[in-house]
Amino acid sequence: MSPASPAFPAHGRPKEAVLAQMRAARDHDVRWRQGRAFSLVFHGGDDVSAVLQDAYTLFFSENGLNPTAFPSLRQFETEVVAMTAGLLGGDAHTVGNLTSGGTESLLLAVKTARDWGRAVRGVTAPEMVLPATAHPAFDKAAHYFGVRAVRVPVGPDFRADVDAMRAALTAQTVLVVGSAPQYPHGVVDPIEGLAALAAAHETLMHVDACVGGLMLPFVRRLGYPVPAFDLSVPGVTSLSADLHKYGYAAKGASVLLYRDNAVRRHQLFAAMDWPGGIYASPAIAGTRPGGAIAAAWAVLNYLGEDGYLRINRTVMETVTRLQAGLRAIPGLRVLGQPEMSVMALAGDGLDIYEVSDELTARGWYLDRQQFPPSLHMTVHHGHAAIVDEFLADVAAAAEAVRRPSLRKTVNRTVVSAANLLTRWLPEAWVSGLTRRLSSALGGGGLPGRSAAMYGMLGTLPNRGDLRELVLDLVEGFTRPATPAPRSNR
Ligand SMILES: Cc1ncc(COP(=O)(O)O)c(C=O)c1O
């Protein structure tokens, strides 16, 4: 049940009452502390969390906007950049800065390429060439900054297809993109091939190592095969690595590195004529939370190389156990050959969205993916303890899906009928149908049973204005459940 929307509080309440209400509000959140969520949270252990909280709290009022006011934050930021540059193939020329996360790093990499292209190559209608699997933050950047995103299908191994990307390059290309690894299937793109392509075409090349930047170097040192992916690869001009993912930092920390300052210069911003004074800023955010910068510095120093090796050994052993267990369950398969701890679980004769519904009913949280239908798994240190319980539940879920039931037959019939009909219906009708079906089948919010909705949405030959439906949902999530009463004060 959603709580009624409150008016602005007329009077303050005791701290304990406020905090108690907030603790209770968490009751319906995903249970990541119990290792039940395979996305959104990266848990490095309770000791790591304690260090992060202390460091964050120490600097929670400080502001990274002005480094002259807070030399402490400047020191933390520049040291985090230097430490991660050393880890990721940088040298004395490498420059960089912290951002609020992967999206801000990618937005900046694209904006930099656009401005570099205009200044250095005279490109007025910039394009970037990227694999279909690269993160949607690149589309957001394209949308925000007027850069055309040229998406290229990946190969059967889900990795970027270098030849197909070569064919997509034009005189307007300012940026080539590869991921290490890409999010949907967790495989590393052929960065050396892509970087050679970019260099030959005299264009920039960004490696999105938001997921892998703080993990792949340690995985390689542990003896697992990891292809070259970082700034040591000739032709790579920038790289992003999220500290708040496998760096196990507090949320709000990513590092964006550039091979040299000449390119990074195009990222920076300065407003000279404001009555409030000259205003300069390296990134998109103005105020930058000191806590996130401080916690990032703290976790690198707290764990050190040996700490990250220890954590990643556990994670990779967990992945090995999970993959072996999942592969042994009839009707399921892991897609591709992921290098680290991100992977996709697909059906091999079983409807994977039905499996997903069964897992949701058993209290697990896995994101659903499309093209092909699969479930996403981001495995972190916190999952080591739940492997057996999870595998038993997946086996039970697969077994339940194998059993025929009336609901499944109805769902399948609805999906087939919708697919058949939408081939012939005009777009507006399809949208209405989509809307009605998605709510009838449990759409809107976090549905318990949504296999049919996903089945339908994923296979519609004519998706109508599905995008508008999704934006409606986004609007819905940012609106209170019931309108706030007007204050008469
Ligand atoms: C490969 C990749 N790049 C970028 C991002 C965006 O990161 P953030 O959610 O921190 O903005 C993600 C997020 O999952 C990702 O997987």
Side-chain angles (χ1 to χ4, degrees), residues 128-134 138 150-155 157-169 173-182 187-209 227-230 233-238 259:
M128 63 178 151
V129 175
L130 65 170
T133 48
F138 287 106
V150 182
R151 291 269 185 182
V152 177
V154 293
D157 56 358
F158 302 102
R159 299 180 203 274
D161 177 338
V162 178
D163 289 335
M165 293 210 17
R166 181 183 294 112
L169 297 176
T173 308
V174 294
L175 186 67
V176 172
V177 170
S179 307
Q182 43 94 313
V187 298
V188 177
D189 285 328
I191 300 299
E192 285 180 305
L194 294 176
L197 202 64
H201 201 77
E202 293 182 4
T203 192
L204 300 185
M205 157 89 198
H206 182 79
V207 176
D208 175 0
F229 74 94
D230 60 18
V233 177
V236 172
T237 52
S238 59
R259 176 173 294 282

Side-chain angles (χ1 to χ4, degrees), residues 101-104 106 135 137 179 181-183 208 210-211 242 244-245:
T103 299
E104 188 181 349
L106 299 183
H135 194 269
S179 307
Q182 43 94 313
Y183 175 88
D208 175 0
C210 285
V211 166
D242 288 358
H244 68 196
K245 294 193 171 77

